[in-house]
Amino acid sequence: MSPQVAFQLEPTSPLRARFGPAADEASIELYWLPLGAGGWFVGLNGRIWEAIHAHLERQRPLDLYHTALVVRVPEGRFVIENCWPIPNADGPARGVAVEGPVGSRRLGRWRVFRHEVRCWPHGIIADADEAVASPQRLNSDPAVARRLLGAC
């Protein structure tokens, strides 16, 4: 099942997404990434969780996605993405904007049970090649892109 969006967007060219717009342009692009793309562990656990949740809700299981944003401003290119696992305690080096526990606050004491939202310059979306209907250009206004980066 593909992700639902409130309005119809056309993916930008994959070549343009790879190399980006000229330095004087700005953009915010959204990537829909299948949960578990690039690795089996997260995908398996996500499918188990979704199967249990769907059973309890008496619905059919759905495909799960997470998202990432690529924000381009004249000053550079930034990636904003929800990431796991947390490789070490040096969050500022990875551009961590916020982090939180997965499943339970008690388990969140250990890095293996925490997710983080990263906003880092020149970041890489490791599984961008597996993205669905992506990237989708959301905005081209430099002021909006800078305001988004200011929230990180």
Side-chain angles (χ1 to χ4, degrees), residues 132-151:
V132 177
S134 299
Q136 295 179 353
R137 171 109 9 143
L138 301 180
N139 200 297
S140 296
D141 183 342
V144 174
R146 284 189 183 101
R147 193 166 57 233
L148 175 60
L149 290 173

Side-chain angles (χ1 to χ4, degrees), residues 53-139:
H53 179 74
H55 176 74
L56 293 173
E57 295 292 320
R58 297 182 179 176
Q59 300 175 353
R60 65 179 187 81
L62 301 173
D63 293 333
L64 299 177
Y65 295 85
H66 77 279
T67 57
L69 295 172
V70 174
V71 182
R72 291 183 179 91
V73 291
E75 298 82 19
R77 178 183 175 276
F78 298 80
V79 170
I80 302 171
E81 185 177 15
N82 183 7
C83 299
W84 177 90
I86 297 176
N88 58 47
D90 189 13
R94 292 185 308 280
V96 174
V98 65
E99 64 177 81
V102 175
S104 122
R105 289 180 195 213
R106 288 184 189 156
L107 291 175
R109 290 182 231 166
W110 296 286
R111 278 197 316 262
V112 71
F113 294 107
R114 297 185 70 77
H115 278 235
E116 60 190 19
V117 176
R118 297 178 191 161
C119 178
W120 71 104
H122 314 294
I124 294 174
I125 302 171
D127 43 6
D129 291 342
E130 298 183 51
V132 177
S134 299
Q136 295 179 353
R137 171 109 9 143
L138 301 180
N139 200 297

